[in-house]
Amino acid sequence: MPSSEAAGGACARRRWLFADQLGPQFLDHPDQPVLLIESQQVLRRRRFHRAKAHLLLSGLRHRARELGQQALFLRVDTYDEALDRVEDALDVVQPTSWAADRFVRARGLPVRTPRSFATTREQFADWADGRQRLLMEDFYRWQRVRLDLLMDGDEPAGGRWNYDHDNREPPPKAATLGLPEPWRPVEDEVDAEVRADLDRWERDGLVSFVGEDRPRWAPVTRAEALQALEHFIEHRLPQFGPTEDAMLAADPWMAHSALSPALNLGLLHPLECAQAAEAAYRSGAAPLASVEGYLRQVVGWREYVWSIYWHVPPDYRSRNALHATRDLPEWFRSLDAAGEVTAHCLSSVLREVRELGWVHHIPRLMVLGNYALQRGWDPAALTAWFHEAFVDGYDWVMLPNVTGMSQHADGGLMATKPYAAGGAYIHRMSDYCGGCAYDPKVRVGPTACPYTAGYWAFLDRNVDTLAGNGRMRQPLAGLSRLRDREALVEQERLRGNAAP
Ligand SMILES: Cc1cc2nc3c(=O)[nH]c(=O)nc-3n(C[C@H](O)[C@H](O)[C@H](O)COP(=O)(O)OP(=O)(O)OC[C@H]3O[C@@H](n4cnc5c(N)ncnc54)[C@H](O)[C@@H]3O)c2cc1C
Ligand code: SF4
């Protein structure tokens, strides 16, 4: 979607494209000169998942190859080093993080409006203006009307806005959903070169990674991304809704799209994904509940999270409403590389992150985030960990999702109550507990489930802070009735940060 900014000479400038601006919509016209920078310092600053480093480099290098002479592709240590070598006048599409935004503005570069979202900052500010609470549900309905998605005139298709009741079922009594494997790319010589470079840099001690660099599973080109979208719409979307929140140990993908890496690299636009899903509903290829569930994610949650990132004050990053200060243990940071974790749910999810750099939203929220919340891990450190360990992790998506939604560090902007839950939730929504040494119903003793015990210990620790939250009244009343509260709290104090 070309921008109106293309008029008036802006397109005469060479456009500096970041590694998450790889789709055609980031150019004002197809022949616009481009600058691409591969900075090694970006990879050195953090201990990223190796598959993430692979994806970013592969995406940049594929784009450089596609653009040929049109692109000036510089492989350097720092951005500054590259920019000092470029003589052409440059501009940028607004980067996706505050830090990069400050950087390009400090360099005096003209900044064009973002191109990988359907909501501008001004539109969100207008919507938010005068509202007491910025509820996602209200935002999502506004998006549906404004963008004319899944609407029959002024009414939502099918007469209902929300199919959560039909969706979010427990998993079936089977090892997998039985769907075809998600779309997979065929690696090429660019991937081979990336892998060889990463091996060499690691050997030379220039960078260090977590996780495994298995065969690349996410798209890095527009053509690949379109194939992955088409595959999802045909094979997974029809099943998306009912099992959206369910987890199966042998089926990490379930019916999820696995398109977040492609969306976040700018290879797909959320509107085209939503429109493709709506077309499947209109043609009878996918049921309404699944299509509504998917739209809720891709033009509801994703746009909401993006907008919140720019809307909240700068101190959001350092908020810590529950005063959680524990550091993350090495077994977690290393994605349980040494196999120390006994808890079946947590060890399975950490293995999936190690192998894929990805799990769907419920393992992120209810297995990883929930554990960190219960143990009182520092929300900023956890946010940094998610950013590093996930192939789709970027600053804009991490802050609201991790600091806000999962850790309640913002005191309730993203969620009215903390997403803390005991083993009963995981038991209901997964098949993990059957194969576990712990028992989700037991809270004290050798078979006590660390999530069940952790849940009560979390409430015990935060009882004063949460007392004013009406939605926590019932759980806190339950806590006050626990006969073994003292023994449980002591048990969890002794467990500390040891691998559960
Ligand atoms: C603690 C936590 C951390 C997360 N970290 C990330 C992250 O680093 N990057 C990321 O893209 N998403 C993140 N999410 C949101 C969500 O988990 C992923 O977008 C989703 O699991 C990606 O898999 P998918 O493409 O199969 O998604 P699907 O289930 O197929 O959903 C469709 C699309 O909706 C979008 N989406 C849905 N929920 C969100 C959300 N809360 N925030 C942003 N986009 C959303 C994604 O683009 C996704 O591709 C996080 C959620 C939580 C609770
Ligand atoms: S019993 Fe507890 S630790 Fe084990 S899989 Fe179930 S929830 Fe996870």
Side-chain angles (χ1 to χ4, degrees), residues 343-346 423 426-427 432-433 436-440 449-452:
H344 188 211
C345 53
L346 187 55
I426 295 173
H427 186 37
Y432 288 129
C433 299
C436 187
Y438 302 116
D439 182 338
C449 164
Y451 281 88
T452 303

Side-chain angles (χ1 to χ4, degrees), residues 256-260 264 297 358 361 364 392-393 397-398 401:
H256 290 273
S257 68
L259 291 174
S260 52
N264 295 356
Q297 302 297 317
W358 179 96
H361 67 150
R364 295 188 204 208
D392 57 10
V397 71
M398 284 306 155
N401 273 314

Side-chain angles (χ1 to χ4, degrees), residues 260-313:
S260 52
L263 278 156
N264 295 356
L265 287 173
L267 294 167
L268 291 173
H269 195 279
L271 268 185
E272 72 183 325
C273 296
Q275 284 159 355
E278 175 167 2
Y281 163 65
R282 300 283 178 198
S283 72
L288 182 56
S290 283
V291 173
E292 190 286 314
Y294 178 67
L295 259 61
R296 175 175 291 274
Q297 302 297 317
V298 79
V299 291
W301 276 109
R302 185 172 191 270
E303 296 281 318
Y304 178 73
V305 157
W306 162 256
S307 303
I308 289 282
Y309 176 77
W310 296 103
H311 189 76
V312 292

Side-chain angles (χ1 to χ4, degrees), residues 6 11 70 76 102 126 177 186 200 210 239 241 248 257 268 322 329-330 366 390 395 400 406 412 441 451 461:
C11 58
Q70 192 181 336
V76 287
R102 277 194 296 272
D126 281 350
L177 284 189
V186 178
R200 199 178 62 253
V210 292
Q239 300 283 321
L248 287 171
S257 68
L268 291 173
L322 298 178
E330 186 51 28
M366 303 311 291
F390 278 80
D395 199 50
S406 130
K441 292 190 291 305
Y451 281 88
R461 195 172 64 249

Side-chain angles (χ1 to χ4, degrees), residues 24 35 77 143 207 250 255 263 272 289-290 331 382 387 477:
L35 169 67
D77 192 39
Q143 289 284 75
V207 289
L263 278 156
E272 72 183 325
S290 283
W331 57 263
L382 186 76
H387 186 149

